[in-house]
Amino acid sequence: MPPKKRNSGTTQSKEMKPTAENASPDKKESPELSLKKHGDKDAEFVTLCKSLHVTDPVCDRAWTLWKTVQESVDEAADSQKKLWGACLFVTVTDMDATCFTLTQVLKAVCLNVKQFIDLVRKLDVNLDTISTKVNSALSRLDKKYDVMLALYQRFEKTCKKIFNLTSDGKERETVRTCWTMFLLAKGRALQMEDDLVISFQLLLCTLELIIKRCSPDLLQPLYKSAISKIQSPPTRTSRRNQSKTKSRAVEPEVDVQLLETLCKENECSAEEVKNVYQTSFMAFLESMDLSRSPDFPQVNDIDQQYEEHYLKSRDIDGRMFFNGDETVLAPKVEISQVERTPKKNLSDEDGLLVPPQTPIRAAMTSIQLLRGDLTSSGDHPSANLVTYFKHCTVDPTQDVQKRLETLGQVFSQRFGQAVGPHCVVHGRQRFTLGVRLYYRVMEEMLKSEEKRLSVQNFSKLLNDSTFHTSLLACALEVVMATYGESSFKNGGYSHGGADSAETDVCFPWILNVFNLTAFDFYKVIESFIKADPTLSKEIVKHLETCENLIMERLAWRTDSPLFELLKQEHESGGAEQVETPANFSQPLQHNHTAADLYLSPMRPGLRVLPPESSSQTSSQPASQATSQPPRPLKSNSLSLFYKKLYRLAYTRLKMLCSYLLSSHPEFEPIIWTLFQHTLQHEYELMRDRHLDQLMMSAMYAICKVKSVDLRFKTIVTAYKNMANTSQETFKHVLITEGHYDSIIVFYNQVFMQKLKTNILQYASTRPPTLSPIPQIPCSPYKFPNSPLRVPGSNNVYISPLKSTRMSPGIMTPRSKMLVSIGESFGPSNRFQKINQMVNSSDRSLKRTLDHGSTPKPLKRLRFDVDGQDEADGSKSGGDSTLIQKLAEMSSTRSRMQEQKMKEDAESRMEEL
């Protein structure tokens, strides 16, 4: 491709209109706008449209939108033009028009990305002002901007460590070329441009290429010495017509030593970066004809090709980050949050301060911890797991291996399709880590089951394909969440139509890949978390969010086995007892494990029985049938599902009521009664719908019959402020098969019609009996690795020892003191520092008492089997145990000090 002349701003806008699919018709569709044709509009609005080269239909529709929202938005004197720009963005997004890029409209209205996104969202004055398509585009832009900002901030800091400052500014031109080349490589290599980890790995690959091809005088000593000795320093005067064979001999494809140096300095896996280099980055270099040439990349070529990519994408111009342009300026709050670091008064021996916890550093640390945890786990079953397999009536070993082989190929291919054309190898890496985690968690589950049931034959469970697939899917979800490839920024919805679905690996993508139902996947989540205590809080919360999404929406899809279980329950006369209302006020305690849930139903009648051995489940009901009348089998999985569903439903309702009905607290139990009745008796209303749709409808219905003016617009406005919500929940509700509309239409045509008689009962003098309120734990999952404060001290915490292979700098902030009893601790004076820390808090408490004031009760966490919080300051059994442990630690410390002093004395005697 011959180099093209660099365009000016106006020319860029004109040339960007043709797309890859349609290169010429836009000229016919977008004649110059004239003031005469749009005389009914504000002249300044038409001028803005002309500057952005919009078409007549776009101009008309954007003006109509403006007139719709004009009276509802807060309009300052200088904000009219900005609001017009927002209306134009909404219009071109809805119409798929290729008029202008995001950067062009940002410059036209003098806003940065974050300000503009917030402004567009303010236009949503009615339920249908902003479509879900526009909201999806905003969410994608928001995430992409966050990723690009994080990448550029790390790039800027890294370059300061690589390049020397020169008087003629050559290093700045080199850095500019590197950044532009990276933007182009990312745009061509990745379909998921918001993948932070692979993008960062591509950035390191680009830096490797630029470092080894730039002048050595520009490099600082560390990187100048890191370049392999076998490589001849390239120069800008190299002839471009050298033979490809000769050029390839001069330079290896990747300088391993240099790349490893970059990875070490940036706490990134060298193995993974090499794979990115050899696949995605090499493919990019081949497409640019750069892989066989030792020359420094031509600046104009790189810049022109990125220009074409940016104009075609109609997106953010990433070069603006390098230019320090105001359109990509980071909000001051975000900068302070990224750069904030706890600072302590430390002596030299305590080490350095913790580096800022930037998004990239957080991601690299999480990945390093995951890879470190799985280092000892092999790609094959351990000896213990093999023993469990052999104890089965039917050995599942071959089926397990065949299943992994098949699913591994499917996963890698689908991962490559979603992330990028050369990313299949990255999918294999993720799958390998997932398999190791899958084997490890399975072994821990079986150990727990053996201890619980005193059996070793788990043939029925281990030959259940759904169990294995669910467990593997959960392991892979953990891996992808650790790599930042699965998140819930959009409330669990996949936005943007079919194209977005193909480039989005967020949950429930893994379920679609493995053709696994959400209800089956839910059964393994809790046991998975309990079986792996090394999971971080973030990953536990991620899995908990997955579980919530399943209960809210995914388990209620038409093809879900949940409906068949509910049908069986109702046909057997158990409709009233899917979950006994009397149990709502009891804590969420159960002894069910994944084995129980996958082999369910296995609970006779309503009686709570101890869990049976998984190898004997089929015989248990038969033996009982001889001594008592047969009872219909109850489903453990359904019972537990509804227990959790009710608690989730009430939690969300309580939150919404706190926003909207604080002056009517008596309404909450009434709304809950209608809501719970709907879930139990009218569960068909949940088919292909969302839990929150029924919640908002129940709230509106009760307020209506109680003559309280609460409109749906007010309800959804408050709902948008709740965590993990999406506008699609109230804008895109199933009305009839294949037809969707707003929640108002759903209420009038579906909800009200189905429950009218029941709703009207709440206006009578004899309303229905109120349903009990579920007891809501803070979280059903414990965090065993959380530090626990020593009672009576504000400075001393203890936590379980993690793997010793990780450095203290990763395990805890270096501004704290890490103590590991039983390991080498260093100089004996560190024990004295611990004494000072403990004693200092004692003295501060004593000073408080001396002044006659009553000390504030200390809040304690009770780490008991229920995992519940205790914040009332009362003593619990856990405290006495903790004090005993601390006494033992103190005794151990004293003995170690005495031993150390004795050894020092003996050493001095030997020297004499």
Side-chain angles (χ1 to χ4, degrees), residues 528-558:
F528 191 101
I529 293 172
K530 291 178 178 178
D532 191 352
T534 67
L535 296 177
S536 67
K537 284 185 179 180
E538 290 73 21
I539 294 300
V540 172
K541 290 178 181 177
H542 177 86
L543 292 178
E544 191 172 2
T545 305
C546 291
E547 186 178 64
N548 289 345
L549 283 173
I550 291 171
M551 291 186 288
E552 291 172 357
R553 179 172 60 93
L554 301 177
W556 300 99
R557 289 175 174 173
T558 294

Side-chain angles (χ1 to χ4, degrees), residues 439-483:
Y439 278 139
R440 189 177 75 183
V441 172
M442 189 196 308
E443 181 176 343
E444 292 303 318
M445 283 184 176
L446 295 178
K447 286 179 180 178
S448 177
E449 289 294 284
E450 180 182 3
K451 183 178 180 180
R452 184 174 73 106
L453 305 174
S454 300
V455 296
Q456 291 184 327
N457 184 353
F458 300 103
S459 185
K460 192 171 182 180
L461 176 67
L462 293 179
N463 282 282
D464 188 312
S465 178
T466 303
F467 163 72
H468 284 285
T469 306
S470 301
L471 185 59
L472 177 62
C474 195
L476 287 168
E477 184 64 26
V478 168
V479 171
M480 290 192 295
T482 303
Y483 276 81

